[in-house]
Amino acid sequence: MISVVGPTAAGKSDLAVEIALRLGGEAVNTDSMQLYRGMDIGTAKLSLEERRGVPHHLLDVWDVTEPASVAEYQRMAHEAIAEIRGRERTPVLVGGSGLYVRAALDEMDFPGTDPEIRARLEAELAEQGSGALFERLRAADPEAARTILPSNGRRIVRALEVVELTGRPFTANLPDHRYREPGTVQLGLLVPRPELDERIALRVGRMWEAGLVEEVRELEKAGLRSGRTASAALGYAQVLRFLAGEWTEEQAREETVRATRRFARRQESWFRRDPRIRWLPYDAPDLLERALERE
């Protein structure tokens, strides 16, 4: 099993397709926002043509009104991997959502939930905003705060819930790095920061040209604004503020670039803590051959 990880805009999806074509594999999505139906442009979801005949699993499985659940994702990922194995093909996981990657690859059990604690924290989120809860999380678990966007109220609430439930930091509940399947390989794409920043700006520009604003406008009719997880997605949250009249379109676009760059740094920080990842320069002319090398 192979997993391709790294920051957004590094070229993970294209490399995963190349690997799958070479090995006779099938792709399994590990990007939390590509799980949502209709969120195509803003998540850089590959088109059918770009998938080049490679089957892709766990795309478009949730409505935008559904809250994300990493435990539910883990169940679906394990099922998809087992089905691919049953066809004697190679699972190629691809995406940059660190916790989802680990949920698919590693021996992990997630702490349960407490409806009362969750309801109280969500009420506090509605009253105080994500910033106040983020400061509380930073005091309780600085390591978790470094990997969660201050605007991501859903993940902040979950981290605080786990802290309260277990009496330990959220990050302390993550187990040691131990794969479920021996022989798993993780490949990380390494992009120098100035180049990554430029690639992100270019990607956001392409998303706007491809019709991101119209995509968000249509998803708003389907309930996007009420979806706790989907409405916080990069690009979508900013466009929603534009559609609400809070920002100009240019402000929404510029803030999408800034927020995506901040998110990419958090991704890099998360993946750098996993010593099992083999890092490869994203622009190596022989990238595929390097990716397929056996150490």
Side-chain angles (χ1 to χ4, degrees), residues 42 149 151-152 204 207-208 212-213 216 224-225 230-263:
L149 288 171
S151 60
N152 194 334
V204 170
M207 288 175 175
W208 241 263
L212 177 60
V213 171
V216 176
L224 174 63
R225 198 174 287 276
S231 65
L234 291 168
Y236 296 87
Q238 289 76 17
V239 173
L240 283 172
R241 294 189 69 170
F242 159 61
L243 295 178
E246 298 175 36
W247 286 344
T248 67
E249 185 172 354
E250 186 57 31
Q251 283 177 307
R253 179 169 167 165
E254 290 174 357
E255 181 54 35
T256 298
V257 173
R258 283 193 291 269
T260 305
R261 286 171 174 169
R262 291 194 297 269
F263 176 63

Side-chain angles (χ1 to χ4, degrees), residues 99 102 107-111 137 140-145 147 159 162-163 166-177 270 273:
L99 189 58
R102 291 206 60 191
E107 295 284 358
M108 291 187 72
D109 292 316
F110 291 93
L137 177 62
D141 187 354
E143 191 64 28
T147 66
V162 170
V163 169
T166 66
R168 299 188 302 162
F170 176 73
T171 46
N173 288 279
L174 296 177
D176 294 335
H177 295 98
W270 174 282
R273 291 197 299 274

